[in-house]
Amino acid sequence: MRRWWAPYALVGSELPRVEWGVVFEEDGGRLTRVVPGVAAPPDANRLTGLAVPGLANTHSHAFHRALRGRTHFQGGTFWTWRRQMYSLAERLDPDSYRRLARLVYAEMALAGITSVGEFHYLHHDIGGIRYDDQNAMGLAVVDAAREAGPRITLLDTCYLTGGIDTPLDGVQLRFGDNDAHGWAVRAADLAGRPEATAPGVRIGAAIHSVRAVPASGIGVVADWATSHRAPLHVHLSEQRAENDMCQAAHGCTPTELLHRHGALGPGTTLVHATHLSVPDITELGASGASVCLCPTTEQDLADGIGLGRALADACGTPALGSDGHSAIDLFAEARAMELHERLRTETRGHFTPQELWSAATSAGHAALGWPDAGWLDTGARADIVTLDLDSVRLAGVDPSAAIHAATASDVVDVVIDGEQVVSSGIHLRVPEVSAEMREVVRQLWG
């Protein structure tokens, strides 16, 4: 058994509240006791500042981190940005991807993230040629996360077409599996590997989008997720053009197409969900599906501002993701969920602090298949993140308002499943994240 003590902590599962002088007792990676209102016991490890639950990064494309700062000089749209992303995708192999992903996940740990959902579609070699191990890329990503610390839900992604009724071409061939049944066979192979059943690892499924999976394949992926009791994630209506393409080809919205083919349900998480109609939102709510918003990426790619409050009312508190990793800061993502609503409505106060905390913590863990994480109370996974209340950003801020002021830079300590991964702002397994990241990105871009 291990014990920690924090001067302040955000405790409870339903309506988390800040308490002072909190002792955490852990055994086997679980919190066995959480006791507030006590002085620091002499046998407890002392934490600094405000202890909060581990954060969940529900939507990640790890290799996009190497694009940070490189896509802003020629303007354009999501579609022009995508060409630069494809250029990067051509350069990766299992070894270089593992090195990059290890550092991305270490950066996440330094930001207080204890679970990540990796939306993984970079499966094969150049030209779509299979590696000797057809899941070499996915296993490289899993290995990277296990070394860096955060739990990972690898959302193995079905990606079959370059657009509706358009074959894969160029670098896109690396993403494809011939057809949905081919994807299902490869995904089943991955899910059966010892590495994929190790502690801290889950395998989920993803439909890249209605642009990239034909209507006939949507149900195949959804059925696979159901039979494997796996989370199912889908990019949904990220751009208006996707809606227009779907309407022209199928006579319905992407939401309705997913519904027709059985891909909406309590195990489904819709990512972005930016350009939805009121009937779309009603359909999502009726299905029991959840939503993941990625506000920083939606800003970065000029995708637009979604109906966050309406989605929350229909589907429950959204989860959050840093997606393309132009920044990795779940506190900023949570605030942006509120701030987008303010910009859209010109009024304030759309989400309570408890909802913002839940979006950054418990909602994301649940969407990734870790419903026992994201809250500090007896029985939860022992994920503890501390924030420095003496930092220049949080100095003078009431701990109960920290969600409105904290940044990833304020994270001091990170405990994941009872193991300390970050101490005093230093990653204990990957101590030179910045220097290594600089070198890996330099090598990738030559």
Side-chain angles (χ1 to χ4, degrees):
M1 183 184 76
R2 284 173 284 194
R3 306 178 86 197
W4 290 273
W5 179 87
Y8 297 96
L10 185 72
V11 300
S13 56
E14 294 300 321
L15 289 172
R17 65 199 179 278
V18 173
E19 300 277 7
W20 68 271
V22 180
V23 172
F24 301 98
E25 294 184 358
E26 173 270 341
D27 190 25
R30 300 267 174 183
L31 295 175
T32 55
R33 290 184 72 208
V34 177
V35 184
V38 298
D43 62 340
N45 298 305
R46 294 196 179 200
L47 300 172
T48 299
L50 171 67
V52 302
L55 310 179
N57 192 352
T58 309
H59 190 68
S60 162
H61 298 294
F63 77 92
H64 291 191
R65 169 60 178 83
L67 289 167
R68 185 181 293 178
R70 295 173 179 269
T71 66
H72 302 277
F73 303 108
Q74 297 178 345
T77 66
F78 166 87
W79 308 98
T80 54
W81 166 87
R82 191 175 70 162
R83 289 199 292 270
Q84 295 171 285
M85 182 268 286
Y86 284 170
S87 176
L88 174 60
E90 289 182 312
R91 301 165 187 259
L92 290 159
D93 58 29
D95 184 57
S96 61
Y97 199 7
R98 182 195 172 280
R99 293 199 306 271
L100 175 61
R102 169 179 169 269
L103 297 170
V104 176
Y105 298 143
E107 182 180 352
M108 289 186 195
L110 289 167
I113 291 163
T114 59
S115 291
V116 57
E118 183 59 39
F119 201 99
H120 170 65
Y121 56 82
L122 187 52
H123 301 305
H124 306 299
D125 204 349
I126 297 297
I129 297 171
R130 272 44 174 175
Y131 291 105
D132 291 340
D133 182 338
Q134 63 180 342
N135 282 303
M137 293 292 269
L139 291 170
V141 171
V142 167
D143 188 52
R146 294 188 69 194
E147 184 171 346
R151 290 180 298 273
I152 185 169
T153 299
L154 187 74
L155 298 158
D156 195 282
T157 303
C158 186
Y159 195 133
L160 303 174
T161 58
I164 296 176
D165 296 327
T166 303
L168 297 175
D169 184 51
V171 70
Q172 294 173 335
L173 293 168
R174 300 193 70 177
F175 311 156
D177 288 297
N178 297 323
D179 58 29
H181 295 287
W183 169 85
V185 170
R186 185 185 52 72
D189 173 72
L190 175 61
R193 298 294 190 89
E195 302 96 321
T197 57
V201 180
R202 294 192 190 284
I203 302 300
I207 296 165
H208 180 274
S209 60
V210 300
R211 293 181 286 107
V213 177
S216 60
I218 290 172
V220 175
V221 182
D223 289 346
W224 188 97
T226 299
S227 65
H228 286 78
R229 298 182 179 178
L232 174 64
H233 288 218
V234 188
H235 286 141
L236 177 67
S237 294
E238 183 177 0
Q239 304 86 28
R240 297 182 193 277
E242 176 182 304
N243 290 354
D244 295 341
M245 294 174 196
C246 188
Q247 191 71 46
H250 302 292
C252 65
T253 68
T255 299
E256 179 58 28
L257 189 67
L258 294 174
H259 170 68
R260 289 179 186 178
H261 293 277
L264 297 183
T268 306
T269 298
L270 292 315
V271 182
H272 299 299
T274 306
H275 300 290
L276 300 185
S277 66
V278 171
D280 286 338
I281 294 173
T282 300
E283 185 68 65
L284 294 183
S287 75
S290 60
V291 172
C292 173
L293 305 180
C294 304
T296 298
T297 293
E298 287 143 18
Q299 295 164 13
D300 182 56
L301 299 182
D303 285 339
I305 296 174
L307 300 173
R309 183 67 256 176
L311 286 165
D313 291 340
C315 302
T317 301
L320 297 169
S322 64
D323 193 1
H325 310 314
S326 55
I328 296 176
D329 188 335
L330 267 290
F331 304 102
E333 303 292 351
R335 283 195 294 277
M337 187 171 75
E338 163 70 23
L339 296 177
H340 277 188
E341 285 295 288
R342 295 184 185 187
L343 288 173
R344 189 177 62 79
T345 66
E346 301 182 37
T347 61
R348 307 176 77 208
H350 299 272
F351 292 95
T352 66
Q354 289 89 349
E355 286 178 304
L356 298 182
W357 278 118
S358 295
T361 58
S362 57
H365 290 292
L368 295 175
W370 308 100
D372 51 355
W375 39 284
L376 294 177
D377 211 342
T378 302
R381 288 179 176 268
D383 291 359
I384 306 170
V385 172
T386 64
L387 302 176
D388 182 5
L389 294 175
D390 292 323
S391 77
V392 70
R393 289 159 296 278
L394 291 176
V397 174
D398 189 301
S400 64
I403 192 65
H404 289 291
T407 72
S409 299
D410 298 315
V411 172
V412 181
D413 301 302
V414 180
V415 175
I416 303 176
D417 285 336
E419 179 182 351
Q420 189 140 11
V421 175
V422 175
S423 177
S424 300
I426 302 297
H427 198 294
L428 300 179
R429 301 180 187 176
V430 192
E432 300 294 336
V433 178
S434 297
E436 290 190 46
M437 181 71 81
R438 185 180 303 112
E439 180 61 18
V440 166
V441 172
R442 184 193 67 78
Q443 291 175 359
L444 281 173
W445 290 110

